[in-house]
Amino acid sequence: MRKLIIAIDGPAAAGKSSAAKNLAKRLGYLYLDSGALYRAIAWKLLQEGINPESQAEVEAAAQSIEIELRLKGEQTEIWVQQVEATPSLRQPEVTRTSSIISTYPGVRKKLLSIQRSIGSGGGVVMEGRDIGTVVFPEADVKFYLDATTPVRGLRRHKEMELKGIPSDLEKTTREIEERDLKDRQRHVAPLKKSEDAIVIDSTPLNLEEVILCMLQEVEKKLAAKQGGTGHIKKLK
Ligand code: CDP
């Protein structure tokens, strides 16, 4: 049976990456963080001193940026023009820039084809803002993962501190709110819940609870596809 395409969308710091990574591991699927692709473009533009506000320049430069995903054990490294960019992708400047350049149709078009070529064969858990709505509208299972703003702000703040990146709780919370607003208001592929997405509010849940919830939905889908019982035991 064909392996599934699983889409996870939602606002910043809702826990999408951790959930997607874990879900993929348990299913033996590939995990793709689509945000890392936007960040990779942003990183390269910053390196080249291109003004992210200049749409024409950004769109032209983006076309020739070569992005490569290299699997290292359970980790996916992002290489840009033969240089590993992964360690720099979570820097605040890269985050801010990714939010600006993701509003440009030329950037999204380039990344759309990369995402589709990675996921179209199935066996993938892909997370982002427009996976269930634009990248894979025919995805087998779609989740919309959300949490309240203060909880997301606190999660991101702790995550930054753990990574050794200085963070101020209020500023971090404000920045994710600003980014969400931009993502929701843009004309191309805005962040929104796909009509057929399963909403999970992770506010009161820990990671394991989110994953179990997702696994149950995946099992239901697999069982429906097989026309029989699922195989929960095998997955756990
Ligand atoms: O990890 P976090 O949720 O903070 O962000 P991310 O998923 O790494 O995405 C960084 C930025 O890329 C977002 O703020 C979006 O503007 C953009 N993005 C997008 O437009 N579409 C996607 N599918 C993924 C990310």
Side-chain angles (χ1 to χ4, degrees):
M1 191 180 64
R2 185 180 165 280
K3 287 183 172 182
L4 307 182
I5 295 177
I6 301 172
I8 305 178
D9 290 304
K16 301 185 300 293
S17 300
S18 315
K21 207 180 286 175
N22 273 275
L23 186 63
K25 190 174 168 190
R26 296 201 200 183
L27 294 168
Y29 281 16
L30 182 74
Y31 156 65
L32 183 75
D33 165 11
S34 68
L37 302 175
Y38 290 88
R39 288 171 181 271
I41 300 257
W43 174 78
K44 186 66 183 164
L45 294 169
L46 287 168
Q47 293 255 305
E48 294 189 350
I50 293 171
N51 175 6
E53 301 285 353
S54 168
Q55 180 173 350
E57 247 187 291
V58 167
E59 291 188 318
Q63 301 320 309
S64 51
I65 297 177
E66 238 176 68
I67 302 174
E68 201 192 326
L69 271 66
R70 295 191 190 174
L71 286 178
K72 282 278 159 71
E74 284 176 5
Q75 306 294 325
T76 306
E77 293 177 350
I78 309 278
W79 288 65
V80 181
Q81 244 106 286
Q82 312 295 325
V83 177
E84 199 205 344
T86 330
S88 313
L89 297 185
R90 308 295 303 180
Q91 290 297 331
E93 189 56 18
V94 174
T95 306
R96 276 190 289 277
T97 306
S98 66
S99 164
I100 299 169
I101 59 120
S102 69
T103 61
Y104 302 152
V107 172
R108 300 204 73 86
K109 195 167 169 222
K110 176 191 171 91
L111 295 182
L112 184 62
S113 59
I114 296 181
Q115 293 167 81
R116 285 189 176 151
S117 71
I118 293 170
S120 57
V124 69
V125 181
M126 203 175 279
E127 55 104 351
R129 305 292 188 285
D130 62 340
I131 310 302
T133 50
V134 175
V135 182
F136 289 116
E138 76 290 10
D140 301 281
V141 189
K142 298 179 188 177
F143 294 105
Y144 188 87
L145 191 59
D146 209 345
T148 62
T149 305
V151 164
R152 292 187 294 113
L154 188 61
R155 284 182 190 159
R156 180 51 49 91
H157 172 66
K158 287 186 180 161
E159 185 189 324
M160 303 277 273
E161 286 197 323
L162 268 177
K163 287 197 166 114
I165 302 173
S167 165
D168 170 82
L169 176 59
E170 254 180 56
K171 190 166 174 238
T172 301
T173 307
R174 205 171 47 244
E175 279 185 356
I176 62 171
E177 275 184 301
E178 285 166 7
R179 222 150 34 88
D180 287 347
L181 190 68
K182 228 187 183 108
D183 286 341
R184 288 197 168 99
Q185 290 184 336
R186 69 174 171 239
H187 296 293
V188 207
L191 164 67
K192 64 174 182 204
K193 184 190 101 56
S194 174
E195 271 177 21
D196 50 352
I198 299 152
V199 179
I200 300 176
D201 178 2
S202 75
T203 309
L205 307 177
N206 63 33
L207 178 61
E208 188 57 25
E209 289 167 329
V210 170
I211 293 161
L212 284 179
C213 189
M214 289 181 165
L215 273 174
Q216 276 175 6
E217 297 296 337
V218 171
E219 276 302 321
K220 272 192 225 162
K221 188 65 177 188
L222 285 170
K225 279 196 163 229
Q226 284 174 329
T229 53
H231 41 119
I232 281 185
K233 280 199 190 92
K234 210 169 116 195
L235 295 179
K236 277 185 189 164

